[in-house]
Amino acid sequence: MDIKRRDFLKVVAGGGLLLATGEPAFARAPKTLPPNALGILYDATICIGCKACQSACKQYNNMPPDHTYRPPELTDQIWDNPVDLSAKTLNIIKAYKSGTGATKNREVDGFSFIKRHCMHCIDPACVSACPVSALQKNPDNGIVSYNKNACIGCRYCQIACPFNIPKFEFDKPFPQIRKCQLCSHRIEKGEISACCEFCPTGASIFGKVTDLIEEAKRRLQLKPCTYYKYPVSTVTSSYKLLQPVDKYQEHIYGEKEGGGTQYILLAGVPFDKLGLPVLPELSDANRSETIQHTIYYGLIAPVMFLAGLLYAVHRNAKNEDDNN
Ligand code: SF4
Ligand code: SF4
Ligand code: SF4
């Protein structure tokens, strides 16, 4: 078969054009919130950093104590210990401090707390990346759970997660991935996530995501220096604590980030300063699956590959003929 360089380039250009124009790309529709999506609203402005949520998380998920070695010269940072999520710590309260750190919920010369754990993304990159479906999103309540029996330890989920959440048990002979599963073992018994049940101020509350977003929107309408009855433990709780309102960032983190999440946050300090990533509205899973499906549409990638091989064989054969 006589394939000219120009013919090969035509095939490549044609495939490239299809990819570039998106015609006929398989742009899949963004995923939406499951019908009974459950989640958590965390409000940093009323979090007192007591870490009761962190302790409760350990207790009700049978997680061992955790400690990060700090050199003596960093003892002023002893509060942040352990310093981050790990295979032993599924939920962590971290501290932000700027300048004098005098005023709570202020970006400059202020401080804030931030609670980090799995976001239970609406379109989770970890689920999309896992080759053996060891991570799955419940189609009804949206909880992203992990099946240790299916996991092959490839750690693709760790690389894919834009929030840097899944952790690997490097120190175990049969390691597992560890991450918050929204206390689904408690939810099955009619209970709520431990971190919300034991939060004394209502900074972490559990409920239907639609109710949590409504509550978050209500809080953004509040005027600073007024008082508001903050529900404790669950968004629908009749037990409410009257607390002063501080100034909020005009943003509900997680409502749209990375396709939306079921863990949503409010704060007085910009979220990127609190260590949360700035993400586009389209999820990583959506973008990567669209590219994959487009490449394989009509066998574009294999055809391009085959054309490349044929061209290389043809060129080598021609060079050999010329040399003889
Ligand atoms: S935060 Fe990471 S681990 Fe959790 S659901 Fe989203 S992608 Fe998965
Ligand atoms: S929902 Fe459960 S596992 Fe997740 S952070 Fe809260 S206590 Fe920990
Ligand atoms: S229990 Fe509540 S107030 Fe205490 S650190 Fe956790 S979220 Fe903040």
Side-chain angles (χ1 to χ4, degrees):
M1 188 191 297
D2 188 22
I3 289 192
K4 295 198 172 62
R5 186 164 175 268
R6 183 180 298 172
D7 296 332
F8 170 63
L9 290 176
K10 271 186 199 164
V11 173
V12 173
L17 193 65
L18 284 172
L19 294 179
T21 57
E23 283 297 333
F26 273 115
R28 76 153 160 83
K31 293 205 170 153
T32 52
L33 206 57
N36 293 303
L38 296 171
I40 292 174
L41 167 62
Y42 169 73
D43 186 336
T45 70
I46 54 168
C47 175
I48 55 173
C50 64
K51 297 195 181 187
C53 53
Q54 205 173 308
S55 304
C57 179
K58 277 199 181 290
Q59 183 178 346
Y60 288 93
N61 288 284
N62 295 319
M63 299 306 285
D66 197 6
H67 176 261
T68 310
Y69 170 73
R70 311 289 298 179
E73 61 273 21
L74 293 179
T75 46
D76 63 319
Q77 293 175 32
I78 198 80
W79 193 92
D80 262 350
N81 202 326
V83 291
D84 213 339
L85 295 173
S86 72
K88 295 176 181 167
T89 300
L90 310 179
N91 162 20
I92 194 161
I93 294 287
K94 301 177 87 167
Y96 162 84
K97 184 185 168 197
S98 136
T100 62
T103 314
K104 188 164 188 297
N105 302 321
R106 290 292 173 278
E107 182 182 353
V108 179
D109 285 338
F111 70 98
S112 175
F113 300 106
I114 182 73
K115 178 172 177 258
R116 299 298 311 274
H117 52 71
C118 176
M119 308 289 290
H120 296 277
C121 303
I122 292 173
D123 192 357
C126 60
V127 171
S128 172
C130 180
V132 292
S133 301
L135 283 150
Q136 294 203 332
K137 185 164 180 73
N138 184 298
D140 185 48
N141 62 25
I143 295 174
V144 177
S145 60
Y146 168 72
N147 177 358
K148 66 176 182 190
N149 297 321
C151 179
I152 53 171
C154 66
R155 296 167 50 221
Y156 282 5
C157 55
Q158 276 197 291
I159 297 159
C161 174
F163 299 99
N164 192 20
I165 299 296
K167 302 295 173 201
F168 192 65
E169 293 178 322
F170 285 102
D171 56 343
K172 296 259 176 83
F174 300 104
Q176 294 180 36
I177 286 289
R178 293 289 192 171
K179 72 164 202 78
C180 152
Q181 309 204 57
L182 209 74
C183 286
S184 46
H185 61 297
R186 287 171 54 86
I187 293 170
E188 279 164 16
K189 294 188 282 179
E191 297 171 335
I192 64 170
S193 302
C195 55
C196 296
E197 181 165 340
F198 293 93
C199 173
T201 66
S204 276
I205 52 172
F206 179 85
K208 283 189 77 167
V209 176
T210 44
D211 294 342
L212 295 171
I213 288 177
E214 262 179 42
E215 174 67 17
K217 286 183 176 162
R218 253 193 308 278
R219 292 185 191 182
L220 292 188
Q221 300 303 315
L222 300 173
K223 292 205 167 23
C225 304
T226 57
Y227 279 81
Y228 180 66
K229 286 184 177 172
Y230 289 86
V232 176
S233 294
T234 67
V235 67
T236 50
S237 170
S238 55
Y239 175 48
K240 298 176 199 280
L241 271 183
L242 191 67
Q243 298 177 77
V245 174
D246 211 330
K247 193 169 182 324
Y248 285 102
Q249 292 290 313
E250 290 289 320
H251 184 64
I252 302 172
Y253 190 93
E255 190 184 12
K256 299 206 171 130
E257 276 77 10
T261 65
Q262 293 180 209
Y263 174 40
I264 55 173
L265 302 95
L266 294 174
V269 170
F271 292 100
D272 58 331
K273 294 280 163 38
L274 300 177
L276 286 156
V278 177
L279 296 175
E281 288 188 20
L282 197 63
S283 68
D284 286 354
N286 193 322
R287 269 182 292 151
S288 62
E289 285 176 29
T290 296
I291 291 169
Q292 280 169 24
H293 296 174
T294 303
I295 286 174
Y296 283 96
Y297 175 80
L299 297 177
I300 292 170
V303 167
M304 286 168 70
F305 181 65
L306 185 63
L309 275 181
L310 287 172
Y311 172 67
V313 168
H314 168 73
R315 190 189 52 192
N316 292 346
K318 190 166 177 294
N319 287 346
E320 254 178 45
D321 290 347
D322 292 348
N323 291 338
N324 290 334

